[in-house]
Amino acid sequence: MESTIVMINLFGAVALLLFGLSQVKEGVTLAFGARLRTVLASGTSTDIRSFLSGFLATIGLQSSTATALMISSFVERGLVRQRMAQVVLLGANVGTAVTAWIVAAGVEMISPLLLLIGLILYRGGHHSRQGAGKAVIGIGLMLLSLHLLSNATEPMRASPALGAFIGLLDNAWPVALAFSAAIAFVSSSSLAAVVLILSLASTGHLSPELTIVLVLGANLGGAVPPVLASLGTSASGKRVTIANLIVRAVGCVIALPMVGYAAEAFGRLPYAATSLPVDVHLSFNIALALLAWPLTGMVAGLTERLVPDEAVPATGPRYLDQQELATPVVALASATREVLGIGDLVERMLLDVSHAFEQNDMACLTSVASFEKQVDALQGDVKLYLSKLARNSLDEEDSRRSIQIIDYAINLEHVGDIVEKGLLPQVAKKISLGLTFSEEGYDELRRLFDLTIDNLRIAQSIFVTGDIDLARQMMELKVEVRRMEKDSAERHLRRLRDGLNSSLQTSSLHLDILRDLKRVNAHLVSVAHPILDERGHLVESRLRIPAQ
């Protein structure tokens, strides 16, 4: 009976740890999700920036799996190169190890304070504060779970059964590695597995050598869930997660014969033996990053041979199956997927123009026109497909959804036109004539570019989920864009009055880019209108009616 209670307490503490991790992930995504996606998508121009992007995103999300799936989706859409994605995941692995080291730093006594602060923030009302509050609550729960794990493993210190089981593992390192990998795989978290190893190490049963082997297994098992989650993606998406698994597996194969030497080396360091699991976890991932970094190109080439490209057409609709027209719900889902692809193309156009603007690189603009042709063609295909669907007797809900899909596709096509016919020639003019904005003017435009790309990603989420909170956020961002455009124009005119030479040279260009980015955002915000209108949250006019 006593052993049953111990196991319930142990598994309950692990469950609380996993729940805390999920709360941190959901909270950070709610508060900073669009910004994190922007950091990952646009922060991969150099190796260092790629590494830091993966590191920071994983520290924020508390999940290297989430980072891996996010970066693989960007590779799949052509926003990030394969080799840079590998560097991002090396940073993500180190980020997970740093998180484990911080969590194990012995600060669980502040968990009640964090829970209180998180609850206050969560009840603040605004979505970003709610997200921050949720994340803080998650951290508090994670720290509380460490305290519960410590209490749950206390009775195990004198357990002969645990000592016998660990003795068996100590004599069979491959089995121990596989056992630990299975724990990390089942929990979908190498962090949770390492924290559990940390608790077992505190019982005094684990030898330093076995501790290192178990940590290696946790690292190996933590790389498997992203691979399974990416199986439904394209070949380019699969390559990212498979390459990460290969790197970790090779690292474990190299490290396993050196476990004895590593245990001896760690034993000479002035660290507490109870912190050995997190120290090994961090050291392994740092060493793996240093060793694998120069080989990322070779690993990317290997995965291209292992996972060849599928034989799919480069252009044309991918999901509009004529046979599905007989089932409206399925046809609408397929049309939604197709329009999401149009949104991805528009995002690539915006990112290319933004990169060209920041880096003065005309090469970034070469694909924009071809993307716009694809957007036009796909938008027409979607409208034709849904017009055929409308010939069937659709119910009110399906009919409304069909209209929403067409409206969003049309707005994306308008955005593509603005990018190709407005922003592209404006940025090309800046580059070809060697024009330089004032430092303040450049920062204003760069921030508006970033906000516009964020808004597109939020619009994509709203289009799929119909989330009312995201729709409200989108409308708030519309006001923010309008304010930014107005303030930037006023500051630009002040710089003109002050006779700033760079502002004089780029005056019309600055105002034209401001105008077009504002137009892009106006089309993106339209995705929130039907959602808010259905709930009666929109008024027909912003015009103030004078009092009688």
Side-chain angles (χ1 to χ4, degrees), residues 336 340 401 459-466:
T336 298
L340 285 174
R401 180 56 180 166
Q460 293 276 84
S461 298
I462 294 172
F463 174 63
V464 175
T465 64

Side-chain angles (χ1 to χ4, degrees), residues 181-189:
I183 292 175
F185 168 69
V186 170
S187 63
S188 294
S189 172

Side-chain angles (χ1 to χ4, degrees), residues 444-459:
E444 291 166 359
L445 292 174
R446 184 180 54 79
R447 285 198 302 272
L448 192 52
F449 262 117
D450 290 343
L451 181 60
T452 301
I453 294 168
D454 284 350
N455 285 350
L456 173 57
R457 291 166 181 162
I458 294 173

Side-chain angles (χ1 to χ4, degrees), residues 265-521:
F266 276 105
R268 295 174 181 172
L269 297 176
Y271 296 128
T274 53
S275 68
L276 181 61
V278 290
D279 293 336
V280 170
H281 189 37
L282 181 58
S283 301
F284 173 75
N285 281 285
I286 291 176
L288 189 61
L290 292 175
L291 291 173
W293 198 325
L295 304 176
T296 49
M298 185 178 71
V299 174
L302 174 63
T303 55
E304 287 180 3
R305 291 191 293 273
L306 292 175
V307 187
D309 289 318
E310 298 98 337
V312 295
T315 59
R318 299 179 60 186
Y319 305 109
L320 303 183
D321 189 341
Q322 301 297 320
Q323 295 181 350
E324 292 176 352
L325 290 172
T327 312
V329 173
V330 178
L332 289 171
S334 296
T336 298
R337 294 180 69 188
E338 199 67 60
V339 174
L340 285 174
I342 298 175
D344 290 341
L345 287 171
V346 172
E347 180 180 351
R348 292 173 69 177
M349 294 170 67
L350 280 169
L351 283 170
D352 284 349
V353 173
S354 177
H355 291 161
F357 175 80
E358 293 180 10
Q359 301 166 14
N360 284 327
D361 185 1
M362 195 73 82
C364 295
L365 302 175
T366 55
S367 300
V368 173
S370 64
F371 289 152
E372 166 57 12
K373 290 180 180 178
Q374 292 182 51
V375 168
D376 286 344
L378 289 173
Q379 181 258 162
D381 290 333
V382 169
K383 287 197 297 185
L384 179 61
Y385 184 77
L386 291 179
S387 68
K388 293 179 180 178
L389 179 65
R391 297 169 189 168
N392 301 330
S393 55
L394 299 180
D395 60 30
E396 183 180 351
E397 183 178 349
D398 288 344
S399 179
R400 184 169 57 248
R401 180 56 180 166
S402 177
I403 293 172
Q404 290 176 356
I405 294 172
I406 292 174
D407 285 345
Y408 185 54
I410 291 173
N411 277 291
L412 287 175
E413 193 271 333
H414 288 329
V415 171
D417 284 341
I418 295 169
V419 175
E420 185 199 22
K421 296 178 174 61
L423 293 173
L424 185 150
Q426 291 156 11
V427 173
K429 178 180 177 182
K430 168 186 179 286
I431 298 170
S432 60
L433 298 181
L435 298 178
T436 304
F437 290 91
S438 66
E439 183 175 349
E440 185 182 20
Y442 172 80
D443 287 340
E444 291 166 359
L445 292 174
R446 184 180 54 79
R447 285 198 302 272
L448 192 52
F449 262 117
D450 290 343
L451 181 60
T452 301
I453 294 168
D454 284 350
N455 285 350
L456 173 57
R457 291 166 181 162
I458 294 173
Q460 293 276 84
S461 298
I462 294 172
F463 174 63
V464 175
T465 64
D467 188 281
I468 184 67
D469 293 329
L470 279 179
R472 285 181 172 277
Q473 178 185 348
M474 197 70 171
M475 294 302 294
E476 293 170 4
L477 288 171
K478 178 181 179 180
V479 177
E480 175 70 9
V481 169
R482 189 186 305 126
R483 183 194 61 77
M484 287 179 64
E485 186 263 346
K486 180 182 177 182
D487 291 348
S488 181
E490 290 176 351
R491 284 192 293 266
H492 178 70
L493 293 175
R494 281 200 302 269
R495 290 192 293 269
L496 289 177
R497 287 196 298 269
D498 294 339
L500 190 62
N501 186 53
S502 57
S503 294
L504 291 170
Q505 293 177 343
T506 60
S507 177
S508 62
L509 200 58
H510 185 105
L511 295 175
D512 286 345
I513 293 176
L514 278 178
R515 177 204 64 205
D516 284 340
L517 288 174
K518 180 183 176 183
R519 290 170 59 205
V520 167
N521 280 280

Side-chain angles (χ1 to χ4, degrees), residues 85-235:
Q86 301 309 318
V87 178
V88 168
L89 291 187
L90 292 177
N93 295 339
V94 174
T96 299
V98 169
T99 300
W101 193 86
I102 293 172
V103 168
V107 290
E108 59 265 23
M109 69 285 296
I110 68 171
S111 62
L113 177 61
L114 291 176
L115 292 171
L116 176 61
I117 293 173
L119 183 62
I120 293 172
L121 289 173
Y122 185 75
R123 292 189 171 181
H126 193 272
H127 67 276
S128 60
R129 287 193 64 183
Q130 287 182 341
K134 205 170 189 178
V136 173
I137 289 173
I139 295 172
L141 292 176
M142 289 170 62
L143 295 178
L144 179 61
S145 72
L146 290 183
H147 178 67
L148 295 178
L149 277 171
S150 177
N151 290 341
T153 54
E154 183 68 29
M156 296 182 179
R157 297 179 188 275
S159 170
L162 178 63
F165 176 69
I166 290 177
L168 292 174
L169 293 180
D170 216 351
N171 295 320
W173 286 356
V175 176
L177 187 140
F179 176 72
S180 180
I183 292 175
F185 168 69
V186 170
S187 63
S188 294
S189 172
S190 60
L191 174 60
V194 170
V195 170
L196 180 59
I197 295 167
L198 182 72
S199 298
L200 292 176
S202 67
T203 65
H205 286 293
L206 299 184
S207 66
E209 291 82 1
L210 181 57
T211 298
I212 295 174
V213 172
L214 292 174
V215 170
L216 293 177
N219 276 275
L220 180 61
V224 176
V227 174
L228 298 180
S230 66
L231 290 179
T233 64
S234 67

